[in-house]
Amino acid sequence: MNNSPIAAKELNITGVVQGVGFRPFIFQLACHYGLKGEVFNTVNGVTVIVETNLENLKNIDKFQADIRAKKPPLAIIDKITSREISPCYYKEFLISKSSENKSVKDGSFSKLTLISPDVSVCADCIKEMQEPKDRRFGYPFINCTNCGPRYTIIQDTPYDRAKTSMQIFKMCEQCQKEYDDPLNRRFHAQPNACSVCGPHLFVVDRFGKVVVDDKKKQSPHSDSSNLSSLDFAAIELKAGKIVAIKGLGGFHLAVDANNKEAVQRLRRLKKREHKPFALMAKSVDVASKLVFISSEERQILESYHRPITLLLRRNFDKNNSFAECPIAPNNQFLGIMLPYTPLHYLLLEKSPEILVMTSGNRSGEPLSIDNQDALESFSHIADYFVFHNRDIYFRADDSIVQVQNKIPRFFRRSRGYAPLPVILPDFPNFTDNNISILGCGAGLKNTVCLTRGKMAFLSQHIGDIENERVFQFYKDSISHLKKIFNIEPTVIAHDLHPDYLSTKFALSIKEELENNKTEDKKFDNKDIILLPVQHHHAHAVSCMAENQITGDVIAITLDGTGLGSDGKIWGGEILICNEKEFKRGAHLKYIPMPGGDAAAKEPWRMAISYLYAAFGKDIFNLKIPFFNEVLDYKSNGKIEFILQMIDKNINCPLTSSCGRLFDAVASICSIRHKITFESQAAIELQAKCGTLKDCEKYDFAINQSKYNDKNKDEELLIIDLIPLIKNIVHDIQRGTTIESISSKFHQTVIDSFVCAVEKISCETGIKQVVLSGGVFNNIWILTGMTHALEKKGFRVYSHSKVPSGDGGISLGQVVIAKMGIINQKSKH
């Protein structure tokens, strides 16, 4: 043994440091500085041991500094802890096998490895794939440590091939050599493969008959003139056929976006009458023919996350070949993404350069991820299916973002981002690792959230939990997150609404545990605490959490539906709150919601309710097109019936919903009386908005009211927009353009809430304002409200890390619940 003086350090690195080329990076860095030791994956991240003689001691410090400064592109470092250890006198630097059963530090074990999301194929792989002399030329599953599938193919951690869906593919000699070479870009790239040893494509028709099989083409006896799967798919797409394509996180249904008949056929067969289709464009240059693309938007489009990006259309409302295709009817934005798998790149080289790429699933159900399930689910839609034999373990929809006020905002956070954590603020005692929370989310646009210390892990987009298959996906998502992050919740937070399946799930877990009826033992802590969290408080705190702010804020929370603490339907709220508690400062005036949930699907009902509040029985004398268009409802007595429901308070819950206000105005303006997808009326009303610069506004009133809160009278502001409804009707009667009416309406909503915030701030002294809720997906409302508040001297916070809609609710739930538990403990 060498007895010369040696210094040794152990570094424990946490974050996204597995499956991203981190160990070969450490290996090369250690060799550069002449260090010896080893690096290996653990269930907590990566451990590095480095040794050097005392004369070379400074190189350890340089080595440690370079880990953060020069990390691989997909790596995300959360923390590096180091300590001096006794030397082992290594002879070289080694990359060792993963360790599952030990922590070098103290022998204890607490599994937590951050996992990279699925990311787009990198430039190096694309270059190889397009080089005819390269052995991976044209291979649709090319990848390396800097790109490719991650989250959707992982069963468990540490992230090794044996725990992914690649375990069934034994690497050929050449692939194995790359995998074992620390200096190779594919060193320990778990999905590493080639056409000899890896997954392959094949095409079946709607009856399941194989028409092309790429694997058979690898045989020396095959006919080389046969078409490949992607050649065949491209030909059929050019012919106007619908082709189902298995991707990273599920299936897409694809058609030529410039073929009007094909797009209409897809709409008809998918029963998707108006909801926008997403597009995949071959390049930014191709996409720019259809939409305007800023430098910020281009950066998002080309990022390795590759989300669907909502972009302003060129020639909106003008006649051209593309405008005639029903891609996004009555919508000023198109959702466009660039290819993100090698399969997509290869297909778009051969097929039409812009494809519709919409989700492959039964209506209202989660994405199909299994070949047979896809065939059974939409063989009545697709003419052909491009399958492959690499299993998808976990589905992930495409993420959707829009650049608003120069910041990318999530409409949906999923593929490319999940399951990366949101780092929470330094709340007092919040890092108590004995408290782990499950946030069950909302009923629509659901995500779930699990916490561990300061990290909040949001699931991919789950969607609207309205049937058993989505509910099963919901439960599977919770189990998967618990498993891969080794989190066993001690608290479950859920929405107040008793009819949400997410709420019923939370209540059922507690009941099963108490009655010892849990069959699958997914929750084995009998002391689980359930905490209900008010919907809009969760909205507000989700915005606070992602912006790292604590303490009292004024929160404007605008959405469609959320059960209030008074039992009414909220949605146009100003809360005075912090991460522990809230009280209402103001809300939109309550209006009856005729038919309850039916009013959300038939905006004409809310139009009648608002018109009745504004004009009483005189509504039948109003000379506006609205009444001609809903004449059948008037002639068969349906309007009178609605008015009787309102007068007698029969199935007319009161609502302060801003979303329902948008619905009412869209219907009064004859834009949309019935919807076929959520927020359709509001989206089409937004599309009519011209500009808010120097825009006039309608009348509104802000009145003071008293309510009883916890046995004491509190002041409450009521934002009354009934004068606005009267103004809109008079504008319609005068022949004012709908564009002008929409602009004035948007400006009045902004001004009324800003005015109420000013009054609340004068009383409370609070100058921090957070904006949350699905209405802030409206670009005019978000930017207009932000600028107006900032001009008044407020510090304004909005969402950029989680959706402002219900997809961010689960984050707020876990923070409120954890602070509630900590508060309870402090009282004891």
Side-chain angles (χ1 to χ4, degrees):
M1 180 182 292
N2 184 354
N3 292 319
S4 62
I6 292 289
K9 266 192 177 182
E10 174 196 304
L11 309 179
N12 289 292
I13 306 169
T14 59
V16 181
V17 290
Q18 292 189 20
V20 293
F22 201 80
R23 286 182 296 169
F25 159 70
I26 291 292
F27 174 87
Q28 293 175 43
L29 195 61
C31 293
H32 172 74
Y33 284 111
L35 305 177
K36 297 175 182 177
E38 66 176 322
V39 57
F40 54 90
N41 285 343
T42 72
V43 288
N44 294 309
V46 166
T47 293
V48 184
I49 297 173
V50 285
E51 295 181 351
T52 188
N53 56 47
L54 294 182
E55 293 119 29
N56 204 25
L57 191 57
K58 287 185 179 179
N59 279 1
I60 292 183
D61 295 331
K62 293 178 181 178
F63 166 79
Q64 188 169 340
D66 275 358
I67 291 176
R68 281 193 184 275
K70 300 178 180 179
K71 64 181 177 60
L74 298 186
I76 300 174
I77 295 175
D78 174 41
K79 186 188 296 184
I80 301 177
T81 58
S82 66
R83 67 184 186 115
E84 294 182 1
I85 58 173
S86 300
C88 294
Y89 299 98
Y90 290 88
K91 294 182 179 180
E92 58 186 334
F93 195 88
L94 306 169
I95 297 178
S96 302
K97 290 183 179 180
S98 300
S99 169
E100 291 190 45
N101 58 2
K102 69 177 181 177
S103 165
V104 177
K105 197 168 186 177
D106 56 13
S108 64
F109 175 70
S110 179
K111 180 169 87 169
L112 179 60
T113 302
L114 299 189
I115 295 169
S116 168
D118 302 272
V119 295
S120 67
V121 60
C122 69
D124 289 332
C125 283
I126 292 173
K127 185 177 179 180
E128 290 174 350
M129 182 179 69
Q130 294 175 340
E131 171 52 58
K133 295 180 180 179
D134 194 280
R135 72 187 191 91
R136 289 189 176 89
F137 173 64
Y139 185 55
F141 300 96
I142 191 171
N143 67 87
C144 68
T145 53
N146 296 325
C147 67
R150 297 290 193 279
Y151 180 55
T152 55
I153 65 169
I154 292 173
Q155 279 186 316
D156 201 356
T157 55
Y159 174 55
D160 288 320
R161 192 177 181 100
K163 295 184 178 182
T164 74
S165 60
M166 289 298 295
Q167 62 181 309
I168 65 170
F169 300 100
K170 180 177 172 55
M171 282 182 280
C172 66
E173 185 177 344
Q174 286 180 283
C175 286
Q176 187 69 52
K177 185 177 179 181
E178 295 168 334
Y179 184 88
D180 293 333
D181 181 1
L183 300 180
N184 192 284
R185 199 173 86 251
R186 293 188 171 89
F187 176 74
H188 278 237
Q190 307 306 339
N192 187 36
C194 69
S195 59
V196 174
C197 62
H200 72 278
L201 297 175
F202 57 103
V203 179
V204 304
D205 63 19
R206 62 177 51 191
F207 305 105
K209 180 183 176 182
V210 177
V211 293
V212 181
D213 189 334
D214 287 2
K215 191 65 176 178
K216 291 181 179 178
K217 285 175 63 62
Q218 301 305 316
S219 167
H221 304 293
S222 66
D223 182 355
S224 60
S225 65
N226 288 344
L227 295 173
S228 72
S229 293
L230 295 180
D231 287 333
F232 182 88
I235 290 170
E236 297 303 322
L237 286 166
K238 287 178 179 178
K241 297 295 176 63
I242 301 171
V243 179
I245 300 169
K246 187 176 182 180
L248 269 180
F251 278 83
H252 285 115
L253 290 166
V255 294
D256 179 358
N258 270 300
N259 187 321
K260 181 178 179 181
E261 291 73 22
V263 175
Q264 287 177 329
R265 178 170 170 250
L266 178 58
R267 282 207 176 278
R268 184 177 69 253
L269 293 174
K270 203 167 189 282
K271 298 180 180 179
R272 187 165 172 162
E273 190 175 351
H274 301 111
K275 191 174 182 180
F277 283 142
L279 301 175
M280 182 174 284
K282 182 178 178 180
S283 65
V284 169
D285 289 342
V286 169
S288 64
K289 298 174 185 177
L290 308 179
V291 291
F292 297 98
I293 303 174
S294 68
S295 58
E296 293 92 350
E297 289 164 338
R298 182 177 187 127
Q299 188 174 353
I300 293 297
L301 277 170
E302 295 181 332
S303 71
Y304 62 73
H305 306 291
R306 286 292 201 278
I308 296 170
T309 305
L310 300 181
L311 301 163
L312 186 65
R313 296 172 71 156
R314 295 181 185 272
N315 301 316
F316 182 50
D317 284 340
K318 292 185 179 180
N319 292 324
N320 59 48
S321 61
F322 187 80
E324 291 173 2
C325 280
I327 301 297
N330 304 313
N331 196 315
Q332 64 195 127
F333 297 100
L334 292 177
I336 293 182
M337 58 183 158
L338 297 184
Y340 55 86
T341 70
L343 184 158
H344 294 143
Y345 274 94
L346 292 169
L347 178 63
L348 283 162
E349 286 293 329
K350 308 167 188 286
S351 73
E353 60 184 9
I354 305 175
L355 297 175
V356 166
M357 282 283 196
T358 190
S359 55
N361 60 312
R362 289 189 181 98
S363 179
E365 293 191 354
L367 274 176
S368 290
I369 58 174
D370 174 77
N371 293 352
Q372 188 58 40
D373 177 69
L375 199 59
E376 293 171 0
S377 296
F378 41 90
S379 60
H380 64 291
I381 300 175
D383 298 297
Y384 294 99
F385 292 75
V386 178
F387 285 151
H388 60 72
N389 60 337
R390 184 181 69 199
D391 288 339
I392 300 171
Y393 281 159
F394 228 70
R395 57 178 56 83
D397 278 282
D398 296 312
S399 295
I400 304 175
V401 303
Q402 184 175 39
V403 176
Q404 298 175 336
N405 215 16
K406 296 190 176 181
I407 297 173
R409 321 275 182 173
F410 284 106
F411 282 46
R412 179 199 293 167
R413 182 183 184 270
S414 199
R415 177 195 52 76
Y417 300 92
L420 293 177
V422 174
I423 306 301
L424 299 172
D426 286 320
F427 297 119
N429 302 317
F430 198 90
T431 54
D432 180 356
N433 285 319
N434 293 321
I435 302 176
S436 291
I437 317 287
L438 166 64
C440 294
L444 301 178
K445 296 181 172 63
N446 182 276
T447 64
V448 296
C449 183
L450 280 165
T451 67
R452 181 161 174 175
K454 287 181 62 176
M455 287 183 283
F457 298 95
L458 270 76
S459 70
Q460 73 278 43
H461 170 79
I462 294 170
D464 300 347
I465 315 178
E466 296 181 324
N467 61 53
E468 185 53 41
R469 291 196 70 174
V470 181
F471 190 39
Q472 187 59 53
F473 174 35
Y474 170 83
K475 292 184 286 187
D476 290 345
S477 298
I478 294 171
S479 297
H480 190 59
L481 284 174
K482 285 174 56 188
K483 181 179 181 181
I484 62 176
F485 293 122
N486 193 36
I487 298 173
E488 192 59 46
T490 52
V491 180
I492 298 179
H494 61 84
D495 196 272
L496 290 180
H497 203 303
D499 293 333
Y500 287 168
L501 284 178
S502 56
T503 301
K504 292 181 178 180
F505 169 79
L507 298 175
S508 70
I509 291 297
K510 186 65 174 176
E511 181 182 351
E512 288 173 356
L513 288 169
E514 288 173 349
N515 298 326
N516 291 315
K517 292 180 180 178
T518 307
E519 296 177 1
D520 53 17
K521 302 295 182 187
K522 289 180 180 177
F523 291 84
D524 32 61
N525 181 355
K526 277 200 163 189
D527 297 322
I528 283 179
I529 299 169
L530 257 64
L531 286 179
V533 177
Q534 200 281 322
H535 189 89
H536 299 91
H537 189 204
H539 266 308
V541 175
S542 71
C543 188
M544 292 175 66
E546 73 156 77
N547 283 287
Q548 298 273 310
I549 59 173
T550 62
D552 292 338
V553 302
I554 298 171
I556 305 177
T557 57
L558 308 179
D559 64 1
T561 299
L563 183 62
S565 53
D566 61 356
K568 297 181 175 66
I569 306 301
W570 294 5
E573 316 303 313
I574 301 179
L575 307 181
I576 304 165
C577 68
N578 53 40
E579 58 273 15
K580 299 176 186 177
E581 55 192 356
F582 77 95
K583 70 174 184 177
R584 274 171 121 186
H587 66 80
L588 282 177
K589 182 178 180 178
Y590 281 130
I591 293 291
M593 192 171 160
D597 290 343
K601 297 178 180 178
E602 298 181 340
W604 70 268
R605 292 173 179 259
M606 288 307 302
I608 292 294
S609 188
Y610 266 100
L611 289 170
Y612 191 40
F615 297 98
K617 295 288 185 180
D618 287 342
I619 63 171
F620 291 114
N621 298 320
L622 298 176
K623 304 292 185 184
I624 57 175
F626 166 81
F627 284 103
N628 294 327
E629 292 162 4
V630 295
L631 188 61
D632 57 326
Y633 302 127
K634 183 177 179 181
S635 60
N636 67 17
K638 207 162 187 179
I639 290 179
E640 287 86 347
F641 181 68
I642 292 294
L643 297 183
Q644 289 178 26
M645 289 173 63
I646 294 171
D647 288 338
K648 296 178 181 179
N649 193 24
I650 299 172
N651 194 20
C652 281
L654 292 177
T655 183
S656 59
S657 167
C658 191
R660 299 293 79 80
L661 169 67
F662 271 78
D663 288 349
V665 172
S667 183
I668 291 169
C669 292
S670 299
I671 293 171
R672 175 66 54 185
H673 303 307
K674 291 184 177 181
I675 65 169
T676 60
F677 65 92
E678 188 185 3
S679 302
Q680 182 180 7
I683 289 169
E684 294 182 2
L685 178 61
Q686 174 188 327
K688 295 293 184 181
C689 185
T691 177
L692 299 187
K693 186 177 180 181
D694 301 323
C695 179
E696 298 177 19
K697 63 183 178 184
Y698 292 125
D699 296 328
F700 64 88
I702 296 181
N703 305 309
Q704 280 198 329
S705 179
K706 286 186 180 291
Y707 75 104
N708 190 269
D709 180 49
K710 298 178 182 177
N711 300 317
K712 64 177 180 178
D713 286 337
E714 294 280 356
E715 293 288 336
L716 181 67
L717 299 178
I718 306 299
I719 302 170
D720 185 355
L721 295 184
I722 299 302
L724 169 148
I725 299 296
K726 292 180 178 179
N727 293 160
I728 287 175
V729 169
H730 294 151
D731 261 359
I732 293 172
Q733 291 172 334
R734 286 193 291 264
T736 304
T737 65
I738 297 301
E739 289 74 17
S740 176
I741 292 171
S742 178
S743 297
K744 287 196 279 186
F745 166 72
H746 279 78
Q747 187 62 57
T748 306
V749 170
I750 292 166
D751 288 350
S752 63
F753 277 92
V754 170
C755 182
V757 167
E758 282 189 284
K759 291 178 181 292
I760 292 170
S761 179
C762 285
E763 292 292 324
T764 63
I766 300 171
K767 301 298 287 185
Q768 292 189 125
V769 180
V770 300
L771 310 178
S772 190
V775 171
F776 286 106
N777 287 334
N778 182 311
I779 193 168
W780 297 110
I781 296 296
L782 176 67
T783 56
M785 198 89 75
T786 301
H787 293 157
L789 286 165
E790 288 176 343
K791 282 183 180 179
K792 301 287 185 180
F794 291 98
R795 181 73 183 270
V796 183
Y797 300 90
S798 52
H799 288 278
S800 61
K801 295 178 182 175
V802 301
S804 63
D806 282 4
I809 282 281
S810 60
L811 177 62
Q813 288 175 338
V814 297
V815 173
I816 293 167
K818 195 159 189 177
M819 295 309 298
I821 294 297
I822 290 171
N823 197 41
Q824 288 178 22
K825 286 187 173 184
S826 65
K827 289 178 180 178
H828 292 84

